[in-house]
Amino acid sequence: MKIVVAGTGYVGLVTAVCLAEVGHTVTCVDVDKEKIELLNQGKTPIYEPGLEELMNKNKDKLTYTLESKKAYKNAEVIFIGVGTPEKKDGSANLKYVYEVAKEIAESIRNDCVIVLKSTVPIGTNKKIEKFIKTNLANKNLKVELVSNPEFLSQGTAVRDTLNAQRIVIGVKSKHAENIMKKVYDDFGQPYVITDRQSSEMIKYASNDFLALKIAYINEIANLCEIVGANIQDVSKGMGMDNRIGNKFLNAGIGYGGSCFPKDTKALNWLANFNDYEIKTIKAAIEVNENQKLKLIKKARKHYDSFEGLNVAVLGLTFKPNTDDLREAPSLVNIPILLEDGAKIKAYDPAGVKNFKKIYPKEIEYVKDPKQALKDADICFIFTEWDEIKNIEPTTFKELMKTPLVYDGRNIFDLKEMKDAEVDYFSIGR
Ligand code: UDX
């Protein structure tokens, strides 16, 4: 099929490349000239393992262009995968979705199915369809909006898309359902076919459930610390019950990323807007905000102030295998350390380039975790990169001035750290 994908971010580009992998001819459009140039050179503008290889493998089926209107003209299916960032009030900003919708309305020459992949508030598909119909240059054309939320995780996006556990499709007509099956049948994944509002809700409800699960395990971890239990054993014991499941039960310094923080706030906003109080999600948001400050509060019991201290920061990104910093715990903690007057040496395998855009000079960035640890008075771990997990416990003792480690990801074994004579503090153990 001839498919156009609008937006070459995590969702758009991964979708496009995976659609090409199953045999479709895909044109990717974006307004960002730099991104399109990179893509045309066979390079991905985002850090995502396996994506560049798959993109180059399917290069005959993929085109990248700034000329969106030309691309939309004869498309059979158009995917919208642009961002829906958070507004100040917590609601989703649909500005980019509307911009694409307007261009589509002005340029299509054939009947067309438009697939909304971006995470959007319940009711958006209906509204965008009405908007496109009102703005259609050729009023005789038939367009239908289809909701098809994306569940990929950054760092495993290609694998998640090619092996998705379900494809959720929200449609108004059998015609659109059949077109979507033509798009997706070769993925061989189970369908959930529903109306558009339910499909939109599945996305928010799924993401927010996972955020809730993390907030819950983090609260249990906090309680474990108080009563002398070990959260890792508690998680293991809980996770073996398959009604609970063993995923997303890792306690830590809180969730970040482009989805959970945004989608919890968006659902809370939506509930408020409809005069409903969604207490569970509200609680998750609050728990997560406090959790991000957990380590620094603990460390303040040791040092009243971080002024003049050499601080090693290991991990800047919101999770491993991504260069994304959005809502990362590092972004909450580093300003506090800097404000106190700490001298920070930071290590991250992929996040430094983006972090430098925010803190170009205030921090010294190092290429090896050992350089950060050398002569440090204290170490904070914010991300569980393999490069950090692989540090030998004895290294902290050997290199640091004071072997004092605050680990927000529960990477190290308590006994091994004790044997290595490291003062080690983690979450819920
Ligand atoms: C998430 C969803 O998993 C995905 O389905 C959706 O499409 C987008 O949002 P992503 O944000 O890429 O994906 O990462 P994910 O692996 O889910 O982790 C999100 C955050 O939760 C990270 O900060 C991670 O460190 C944290 N997390 C995850 C925990 O603190 N504990 C866990 O047990 C799992």
Side-chain angles (χ1 to χ4, degrees):
M1 296 181 91
K2 270 202 238 157
I3 298 177
V4 178
V5 178
T8 59
Y10 287 97
V11 171
L13 187 59
V14 174
T15 303
V17 170
C18 292
L19 288 170
E21 170 72 4
V22 300
H24 299 297
T25 308
V26 188
T27 304
C28 301
V29 300
D30 205 292
V31 291
D32 188 328
K33 196 166 166 240
E34 218 176 300
K35 275 190 180 173
I36 294 295
E37 273 170 13
L38 269 177
L39 288 162
N40 276 319
Q41 290 161 23
K43 294 187 191 128
T44 52
I46 49 171
Y47 176 93
E48 189 58 50
L51 184 60
E52 203 160 277
E53 289 81 347
L54 203 68
M55 194 176 117
N56 287 312
K57 182 184 162 210
N58 292 292
K59 62 173 188 279
D60 298 345
K61 287 173 266 171
L62 284 159
T63 316
Y64 310 98
T65 180
L66 290 165
E67 292 184 64
S68 43
K69 288 194 171 177
K70 204 167 144 194
Y72 298 143
K73 213 168 158 183
N74 298 310
E76 293 174 77
V77 179
I78 302 172
F79 277 77
I80 302 180
V82 294
T84 50
E86 184 184 316
K87 281 199 209 164
K88 283 211 167 69
D89 62 1
S91 65
N93 186 346
L94 298 176
K95 180 174 163 237
Y96 304 111
V97 175
Y98 273 100
E99 277 170 15
V100 172
K102 183 132 201 294
E103 285 202 329
I104 292 174
E106 287 165 359
S107 49
I108 51 170
R109 296 284 175 272
N110 294 324
D111 293 347
C112 183
V113 163
I114 298 157
V115 187
L116 202 40
K117 247 202 175 310
S118 313
T119 303
V120 291
I122 292 85
T124 302
N125 272 269
K126 228 171 158 178
K127 281 191 197 150
I128 301 284
E129 185 175 289
K130 197 169 162 211
F131 175 82
I132 292 182
K133 283 183 174 162
T134 314
N135 287 282
L136 267 179
N138 177 349
K139 297 271 187 260
N140 297 322
L141 294 179
K142 287 194 182 69
V143 285
E144 182 172 335
L145 258 282
V146 171
S147 162
N148 172 221
E150 180 51 61
F151 299 97
L152 61 81
S153 297
Q154 288 173 225
T156 51
V158 172
R159 198 180 68 204
D160 292 346
T161 306
L162 292 176
N163 306 293
Q165 288 166 20
R166 79 295 207 192
I167 295 174
V168 176
I169 294 174
V171 283
K172 199 176 66 176
S173 75
K174 196 75 194 163
H175 166 73
E177 180 183 330
N178 291 339
I179 300 260
M180 291 309 285
K181 285 187 171 163
K182 262 172 82 183
V183 172
Y184 277 121
D185 268 355
D186 286 338
F187 283 77
Q189 296 153 355
Y191 291 115
V192 177
I193 311 269
T194 178
D195 59 80
R196 297 184 293 192
Q197 287 91 311
S198 306
S199 170
E200 290 165 336
M201 185 54 111
I202 289 171
K203 172 66 188 182
Y204 277 116
S206 302
N207 267 3
D208 288 13
F209 183 78
L210 294 173
L212 204 57
K213 203 172 173 187
I214 299 168
Y216 176 72
I217 205 67
N218 282 340
E219 284 224 281
I220 297 293
N222 297 344
L223 207 48
C224 279
E225 280 180 22
I226 298 166
V227 299
N230 181 319
I231 191 63
Q232 275 173 326
D233 293 341
V234 173
S235 291
K236 191 173 166 198
M238 287 169 65
M240 285 166 84
D241 182 332
N242 59 20
R243 292 171 305 175
I244 297 171
N246 60 9
K247 307 265 174 24
F248 282 72
L249 283 181
N250 293 325
I253 191 170
Y255 59 74
S258 63
C259 291
F260 293 168
K262 169 172 80 84
D263 295 348
T264 41
K265 285 182 214 155
L267 202 60
N268 185 37
W269 182 90
L270 190 88
N272 285 338
F273 185 74
N274 290 289
D275 294 326
Y276 182 75
E277 190 187 5
I278 188 153
K279 290 185 182 166
T280 46
I281 302 303
K282 257 173 86 174
I285 296 168
E286 195 187 325
V287 168
N288 199 57
E289 273 164 13
N290 290 334
Q291 200 68 12
K292 286 188 179 172
L293 294 168
K294 185 96 185 141
L295 285 189
I296 212 129
K297 280 189 185 158
K298 274 190 196 191
R300 283 228 192 268
K301 289 199 180 127
H302 195 95
Y303 293 119
D304 287 344
S305 157
F306 302 102
E307 192 182 353
L309 295 184
N310 293 327
V311 178
V313 168
L314 304 183
L316 297 170
T317 53
F318 82 93
K319 68 175 207 176
N321 298 318
T322 177
D323 61 353
D324 201 329
L325 300 173
R326 282 176 284 181
E327 305 278 343
S330 64
L331 287 175
V332 175
N333 287 286
I334 285 183
I336 298 173
L337 292 167
L338 286 174
E339 206 183 341
D340 257 24
K343 288 181 271 177
I344 301 178
K345 283 190 188 168
Y347 166 78
D348 191 285
V352 169
K353 196 174 152 216
N354 287 334
F355 218 82
K356 267 189 185 164
K357 290 180 196 159
I358 313 167
Y359 294 108
K361 294 207 183 80
E362 300 82 343
I363 294 169
E364 187 183 336
Y365 299 95
V366 293
K367 293 217 153 54
D368 187 318
K370 287 185 181 161
Q371 286 171 273
L373 292 175
K374 182 101 182 57
D375 297 327
D377 295 288
I378 185 166
C379 167
F380 287 101
I381 299 174
F382 295 134
T383 324
E384 69 277 33
W385 284 95
D386 280 346
E387 290 83 342
I388 299 167
K389 282 180 171 170
N390 290 338
I391 300 172
E392 284 298 326
T394 46
T395 307
F396 294 102
K397 170 82 176 164
E398 278 158 25
L399 294 179
M400 293 176 72
K401 198 165 20 164
T402 328
L404 185 58
V405 177
Y406 289 83
D407 176 4
R409 298 295 177 185
N410 290 352
I411 295 177
F412 294 99
D413 184 81
L414 294 177
K415 184 167 180 305
E416 281 179 22
M417 288 299 252
K418 195 167 176 215
D419 291 348
E421 296 175 22
V422 180
D423 267 336
Y424 178 60
F425 300 90
S426 51
I427 309 272
R429 316 187 285 171

